[in-house]
Amino acid sequence: MSGLPVLGEPVVLDDVGPPRRGRAYPAARASTALLLPAALLLGGLVLWPVLRTLHASVTSDGRWVGAAHFKAVLAAPGTGAVVGRTVLWALLVPAVVTGLGYLLAVASRRSEEGRLVRLILVVPTALPLVVTGVTFRLMYDPDPSRGLATLIAARLTGRTGDDVPQLLGPGLVTVALMSAFVWAWVGLAMLVFRAALDRLPSSLADAVRAYGGTRRHVLWDAQWRPLLLRTVAVVFALVALGTSRTFDLILVMAPGSVRDEAAVLALRVWQTSGGTTTGEGAALGVIWLAAVAAGMLVAALFVRQAWPPPRAAEPDPVATPPRRLFRLLAAGAAAAWLVPLAVLVATSLHGPVDAAARSWWSAPPSLASYREVLTGSELWRSLGFTLLLAAGVTATVLVVALLAAYPLAGLTGPAAQVTGLLLMIAVVVPVQVIAGPVNEVLGVALSSGTARGLVLVHVALGVPFAVLVLRNAFADLPTGRMRAAQLGGRHWWGTLRRLARHCRPAIVAVSVLEFVQVWNDLVVGLLFSGPDSAPLGLFLAGQTRGFVANSGALAAGSVLASTLPVLLVVLARRHLVAGLVSGGVR
């Protein structure tokens, strides 16, 4: 969720619930045909590459070497630090995101300013991680005449700019990267917790109070035990999995001189293999893949309870605004979350020379950076290609996923659970791990380094998540609607079309998230694009090579690149939450 990247991924932990009779699912022969496109994509561009990587990790030139590659890569200088840093990311960052997400969900409920707070916090979730990296690198610039955080630290400590600890230096670069990641992901956690809190029946709290329960008992027995414990498990696990995909952020935000001090497995696998199939790179990838798959399977054990169904909007007679402390927390968070956005926009509103030479607060605003970017042909070419790529991939993923989700929703018991687990693992397969084998497959299909190959890779990576969302939505439809669809459609495609009408929130969620995922991508474009395919993320990442000199144009390009995904997520945020929890989290 590559790494949505990530909004709404709680749905990947879903299961299809108990068997239901009277379902309108196609016959076996039709089901095979419907599943074939998804099976070919996942088999050729996910399953086989994983098996090929496993084979490469224990062989050398076709000769069995056992654990030799694993021993070599683990003994390499810096590997232990990289693994430890990855573990720290997977534990500390999810804990911070989960805690802040819950507190802000509570603080932004039932208050006049709550809607504005949620809107501000949701915006960073739609930004490309490349843009997040650019934003925080501008904030943490070690020169106090350009970096706002450095200037504030110097003023607070009474030191000069040279004496202030550098957030992008070797000692603090990981802390700086983590702060950027938390800023980008807290909005997702807040949305999930808000959806859970809104679906808690107030009668539970009333019952606890009726039996003499205190505020603490209400919190534990009426909120945490019935739902929020599992919601915490969902958010924590998914953020932990998301931290394994910090490649874009590290590559853009960490200066080259300290990149090794910031490296995690996501970056080290790419540095070791470079998109090819090598023994040591495959061994490191297998270690990473095993850790990610194990994390997903363990997380699935904590979420086997259905979310309460959505309630009709009714005034809550016992609802009270949050306490003043919580409201101040929400207001403070909104103000803090606006600062990086303001830095990015303010930098973009200065000419290239002013942005490179001095602070944005000491120079008059100008549109020169926007003129420089917009008059060049490279940005327009990249924008046009990315728009066509995202639209084409989204449409293809939606069709393939609908065809596959329709028969899969009819599975029950162990078959449904096994299918769900396999799709869950496919969702979180790191693309760096399978890049070499995927390029081999694309080479056979004469698609390596072409726009067609880039489309195939994006579709294959997007299908598992889309199938899970739509399968859950189909499986959660009432039996009456399923029977009505079966009676109204003379053939399976008529039935599927009628069922899809009842699952519009899930379809909207899949469409928006897939489009944003492709639009925001860097790693897939870096690994699989060619001369005729230059996605937007790759264009922006290329501009960071001369970061200070290009800061004005880079900030302007980042603002332009972020406009469409932010608009889509903000406008569709209610449909996103409704669609992603429509099948429940079981």
Side-chain angles (χ1 to χ4, degrees):
M1 62 252 150
S2 178
L4 149 326
V6 310
L7 177 63
E9 284 189 282
V11 79
V12 305
L13 300 175
D14 195 357
D15 204 344
V16 295
R20 297 179 180 179
R21 298 181 181 179
R23 288 302 197 181
Y25 299 114
R29 185 176 299 178
S31 295
T32 302
L34 294 174
L35 290 168
L36 186 60
L40 289 176
L41 283 166
L42 295 180
L45 293 174
V46 178
L47 177 59
W48 188 88
V50 168
L51 297 177
R52 175 74 176 89
T53 300
L54 289 171
H55 179 264
S57 69
V58 293
T59 60
S60 181
D61 297 325
R63 180 174 50 87
W64 175 268
V65 296
H69 293 314
F70 290 90
K71 293 177 181 177
V73 75
L74 290 175
T79 299
V82 168
V83 174
R85 204 174 292 119
T86 304
V87 173
L88 181 65
W89 269 89
L91 295 178
L92 179 60
V93 174
V96 174
V97 171
T98 302
L100 279 177
Y102 172 72
L103 289 176
L104 292 172
V106 173
S108 61
R109 296 181 76 206
R110 310 187 193 109
S111 63
E112 296 178 359
E113 68 277 7
R115 182 175 299 179
L116 179 60
V117 170
R118 293 191 297 272
L119 180 63
I120 292 172
L121 267 65
V122 163
V123 169
T125 66
L127 295 180
L129 275 179
V130 173
V131 173
T132 300
V134 170
T135 302
F136 276 79
R137 190 164 174 180
L138 289 171
M139 280 191 58
Y140 295 155
D141 192 299
D143 187 344
S145 65
R146 292 192 303 269
L148 179 62
T150 306
L151 175 65
I152 293 174
R155 295 284 177 83
L156 291 176
T157 59
R159 302 181 182 180
T160 63
D162 294 334
D163 296 333
V164 175
Q166 303 299 317
L167 284 168
L168 295 180
L172 295 175
V173 64
T174 297
V175 176
L177 289 164
M178 287 180 175
S179 67
F181 190 89
V182 169
W183 180 78
W185 277 70
V186 160
L188 166 65
M190 181 195 62
L191 284 178
V192 176
F193 278 114
R194 176 66 193 273
L197 290 168
D198 287 348
R199 285 160 175 78
L200 281 171
S202 58
S203 58
L204 288 177
D206 294 338
V208 174
R209 293 189 188 98
Y211 282 91
T214 62
R215 183 187 295 271
R216 180 175 60 84
H217 293 115
V218 170
L219 178 65
W220 176 251
D221 293 320
Q223 293 186 7
W224 285 93
R225 288 182 61 187
L227 180 62
L228 292 182
L229 279 177
R230 286 168 176 80
T231 306
V232 167
V234 170
V235 174
F236 188 96
L238 292 171
V239 177
L241 292 170
T243 61
S244 68
R245 299 182 177 183
T246 55
F247 177 88
D248 300 16
L249 190 62
I250 296 175
L251 195 66
V252 171
M253 185 175 164
S257 59
V258 298
R259 195 165 290 162
D260 288 342
E261 284 76 8
V264 293
L265 283 174
L267 187 66
R268 181 56 66 90
V269 169
W270 174 70
Q271 291 174 328
T272 303
S273 61
T276 60
T277 307
T278 63
E280 292 187 6
L284 197 60
V286 168
I287 295 172
W288 185 19
L289 180 61
V292 170
M296 178 59 81
L297 294 176
V298 170
L301 300 177
F302 291 93
V303 289
R304 301 193 58 81
Q305 174 176 329
W307 282 37
R311 294 185 298 160
E314 299 176 355
D316 191 341
V318 296
T320 56
R323 285 182 289 179
R324 183 177 180 83
L325 178 62
F326 282 95
R327 297 180 68 175
L328 290 174
L329 171 65
W337 256 245
L338 278 175
V339 170
L341 295 174
V343 168
L344 179 67
V345 174
T347 304
S348 71
L349 290 174
H350 289 81
V353 175
D354 285 338
R358 50 181 173 165
S359 58
W360 50 265
W361 58 85
S362 62
S366 167
L367 296 177
S369 292
Y370 282 98
R371 283 195 293 269
E372 178 180 316
V373 171
L374 292 174
T375 54
S377 60
E378 193 172 357
L379 175 64
W380 288 109
R381 191 183 312 114
S382 181
L383 281 170
F385 174 79
T386 306
L387 181 62
L388 292 175
L389 175 68
V393 169
T394 300
T396 306
V397 166
L398 189 60
V399 171
V400 173
L402 279 170
L403 295 178
Y406 177 36
L408 289 179
L411 297 178
T412 57
Q417 295 173 3
V418 170
T419 302
L421 289 176
L422 291 176
L423 287 171
M424 286 160 52
I425 294 173
V427 167
V428 298
V429 169
V431 67
Q432 297 96 315
V433 172
I434 59 174
V438 168
N439 272 316
E440 294 174 4
V441 174
L442 295 179
V444 172
L446 303 179
S447 299
S448 182
T450 66
R452 183 173 64 254
L454 196 61
V455 169
L456 287 173
V457 174
H458 273 298
V459 170
L461 295 176
V463 161
F465 175 72
V467 171
L468 281 166
V469 175
L470 297 173
R471 181 199 71 157
N472 298 337
F474 283 147
D476 201 53
L477 287 175
T479 302
R481 287 187 177 178
M482 299 292 292
R483 290 175 177 170
Q486 187 178 35
L487 293 174
R490 297 181 59 185
H491 304 284
W492 63 262
W493 53 86
T495 303
L496 175 57
R497 186 172 63 252
R498 285 168 171 78
L499 292 176
R501 292 174 184 171
H502 300 302
C503 297
R504 286 180 183 174
I507 292 175
V508 170
V510 167
S511 301
V512 172
L513 293 176
E514 185 60 32
F515 186 95
V516 171
Q517 169 68 23
V518 178
W519 183 276
N520 291 349
D521 172 72
L522 168 63
V523 62
V524 175
L526 181 66
L527 293 171
F528 303 105
S529 65
D532 64 335
S533 51
L536 193 56
L538 202 58
F539 166 76
L540 292 175
Q543 300 298 306
T544 62
R545 295 191 182 100
F547 190 88
V548 174
N550 293 334
S551 57
L554 184 57
S558 297
V559 171
L560 295 173
S562 304
T563 302
L564 183 57
V566 168
L567 283 176
L568 285 175
V569 170
V570 168
L571 293 177
R573 64 189 185 279
R574 293 183 181 178
H575 297 286
L576 290 176
V577 175
L580 293 171
V581 303
S582 59
V585 178
R586 299 182 178 90

